[in-house]
Amino acid sequence: MGEFWSELRAHGASTKDRNILKSFDKPGRVERFSVRADGLYFDFSKTQIDDGALSLLLELARVKGVEARRSAMFSGEKINETEGRAVLHTALRANKGPIMVDGEDVMPEVLDTRARCLDFAEAVRSGSFAGQGGRFTDVVNIGIGGSDLGPAMATLALAPYHDGPRLHYVSNVDGADMNDALQGLDPKTTLVIVASKTFTTIETMTNAQTARDWMAKDVSDPSAQFVALSSSTEKAGAFGIPAERVFGFEDWVGGRYSLWGPIGLGLMIAVGHDAFTNFLNGAATMDRHFQEADLADNLPVLLALVGMWHNQVQGHATRAVLPYDNRLSRLPAYLQQLEMESNGKSVAMDGTALELDSGPVVWGEPGTNGQHAFYQLIHQGTRIVPCEFLVAAKGHEPDLAHHHRLLVANCFAQSEALMRGRSMDEARAMMAAKGLEGAELERQAAHRVFAGNRPSTTLLYDQLTPFTLGQIIALYEHRVFVEGVILGINSFDQWGVELGKELAVALEPVLTGESDGAGKDGSTLALVKAVQAVGGV
């Protein structure tokens, strides 16, 4: 397992029962276990990390080569070794080069594609590029995975900045998703964006054909209202989309990291040139901080190390992401993909089995909704769930400032409650004040005990602006990178998504009766027969 992991495990065991609240008795804890970066404030003092643990974690990052690997990524080296690719989504938000891949500066093409996308978005927004019934009122973005989660999340997050057509996102091959998205839309004033890097993704292309058929009922030339976000101009052309409306990106941009380029076209249309540029600038600012800040003051590094302390050191298998910002309601789902597709691996870069658990299960919901759902388990369940709170100091609705004040109070109160808990003596006093006595007092008091001593972190930002959203997303991207480097895995491939897709293709003819399913297991065949028996598919 290695010297540092062994030391960390031993240190983690020695601090496992340490009272987090009492650690604040020693002056300066908050200052030592928090960091500020360009308007973001990250507080990890409500954890069991102490000076010794932090020192070991930082040394682990150095020994595992985080700094060298970081330089390799930003310089265009092919750190995605299983696919032989560079990892340069950061170039999509850069403003200048050179950034070299295989001896060629990629920035001229990046900047040209960005300009083309932004110009097209402005043409849609202004009405100079219109539908066959007039100015576009609605845009339907069809994608899946990284071609959907990122832009859908960001479009919702930046709702206060929308001044373009309405955006609708379709990802699921379930016909209900497409049907519901198209309800009430006018085909003559609807633009369809088809986002598929290869233009072969079966769910996306099935949905694209359905949208085309829907539009063809009322529009003489449906292809005139389609746009492709794809690297395959040929396949998009075969679908009827001309090259001038195909916006591509290179193989050194992974799907879940692609929001910053053409995959963000829907967001560009929704918020416009200036807001989208500020979004990119926020991410670029985080890139610079990640590259330049010392590890001990580096926000992505510290976020990663805290996560690894909870997961790999203390053995907490899940992580709750809890944005107290309703417009970040899709952020937990976005981070699920970002982290679990990136670091959900069991094999190290050299092909050997991992000696440690890899990434945690990431989940969550916005506050305060979650408080009335799963917080019961977080507070009083038998398993410890480290929590990551996010909250803005200011909202976008000045007339509803009292709402935001209550929201912030709830966020801070939840992290305090997780740490502080409630003792049996305190619970007894509560029940005694209600007039209970004897065995009934003891019984009722037991149900009101909170173990406390449960860790959390808080990311505080001024307001959810395009710039801030860019910072936050880039922060989590780099956090995933640091965790992957320390674990020794490739965070930029995703072979785990392939097998199920291959088997689905083979199963479709079994469902239609064209194949007898020879070689399939008994359970799968029984499920097929059960569907067929009720007239399904």
Side-chain angles (χ1 to χ4, degrees), residues 203-401:
E203 299 97 333
T204 299
M205 299 317 300
T206 300
N207 281 331
Q209 187 60 54
T210 297
R212 183 186 175 94
D213 294 343
W214 166 79
M215 191 174 287
K217 294 176 183 178
D218 293 286
V219 169
S220 60
D221 183 11
S223 64
Q225 295 180 200
F226 272 69
V227 178
L229 311 181
S230 175
S231 297
S232 180
T233 304
E234 181 180 349
K235 287 186 172 64
F239 191 82
I241 303 174
E244 63 267 21
R245 276 186 273 119
V246 179
F247 303 93
F249 47 100
E250 299 297 329
D251 64 5
W252 36 258
V253 180
R256 57 192 175 277
Y257 298 92
S258 60
L259 170 61
W260 316 101
I263 292 298
L265 180 63
L267 180 61
M268 297 180 207
I269 293 171
V271 303
H273 178 283
D274 291 350
F276 190 83
T277 300
N278 286 336
F279 173 64
L280 297 183
N281 289 341
T285 296
M286 180 55 65
D287 292 342
R288 287 192 295 274
H289 168 78
F290 179 49
Q291 292 180 85
E292 296 170 3
D294 184 81
L295 296 186
D297 299 309
N298 196 301
L299 213 163
V301 171
L302 291 171
L303 185 61
L305 294 177
V306 172
M308 300 193 80
W309 167 264
H310 289 144
N311 183 17
Q312 281 81 14
V313 177
Q314 294 196 320
H316 306 313
T318 79
R319 172 187 299 154
V321 178
L322 308 170
Y324 274 68
D325 198 319
N326 199 58
R327 292 189 176 108
L328 288 178
S329 60
R330 295 299 304 275
L331 182 66
Y334 174 78
L335 295 181
Q336 275 183 347
Q337 186 200 27
L338 181 63
E339 176 115 11
M340 296 169 71
E341 192 168 87
S342 296
N343 290 347
K345 310 290 171 61
S346 57
V347 177
M349 195 78 80
D350 62 4
T352 60
L354 285 185
E355 298 182 14
L356 296 161
D357 288 330
S358 56
V361 175
V362 178
W363 58 286
E365 279 287 324
T368 58
N369 291 2
Q371 293 177 200
H372 297 267
F374 53 80
Y375 277 42
Q376 168 64 42
L377 181 145
I378 291 176
H379 280 291
Q380 289 188 309
T382 57
R383 295 179 178 89
I384 292 177
V385 179
C387 295
E388 297 184 354
F389 295 95
L390 299 91
V391 67
K394 296 181 290 188
H396 281 280
E397 295 76 28
D399 293 342
L400 300 175

Side-chain angles (χ1 to χ4, degrees), residues 17 288 352 418 458:
D17 298 320
R288 287 192 295 274
T352 60
L418 285 166
T458 300

Side-chain angles (χ1 to χ4, degrees), residues 452-523:
N453 215 35
R454 302 197 169 194
S456 70
T457 65
T458 300
L459 181 68
L460 179 66
Y461 46 95
D462 182 48
Q463 190 177 48
L464 189 60
T465 64
F467 186 89
T468 302
L469 181 65
Q471 287 179 293
I472 291 171
I473 298 172
L475 164 64
Y476 276 91
E477 287 178 347
H478 295 321
R479 182 249 196 100
V480 167
F481 167 82
V482 172
E483 290 176 338
V485 172
I486 293 175
L487 288 170
I489 61 178
N490 183 1
S491 299
F492 301 102
D493 62 13
Q494 54 280 330
W495 302 112
V497 307
E498 299 297 325
L499 180 58
K501 290 162 65 174
E502 294 168 7
L503 293 176
V505 172
L507 268 169
E508 190 171 2
V510 182
L511 286 164
T512 61
E514 300 171 60
S515 168
D516 62 6
K520 292 294 179 186
D521 63 273
S523 171

Side-chain angles (χ1 to χ4, degrees), residues 88-120:
L88 274 179
H89 50 278
T90 53
L92 297 182
R93 57 232 194 186
N95 289 316
K96 61 181 180 179
I99 298 176
M100 311 299 290
V101 176
D102 291 330
E104 182 179 350
D105 183 7
V106 302
M107 284 309 298
E109 184 174 354
V110 166
L111 295 173
D112 178 68
T113 301
R114 183 189 302 170
R116 286 182 60 225
C117 287
L118 286 168
D119 287 348
F120 179 78

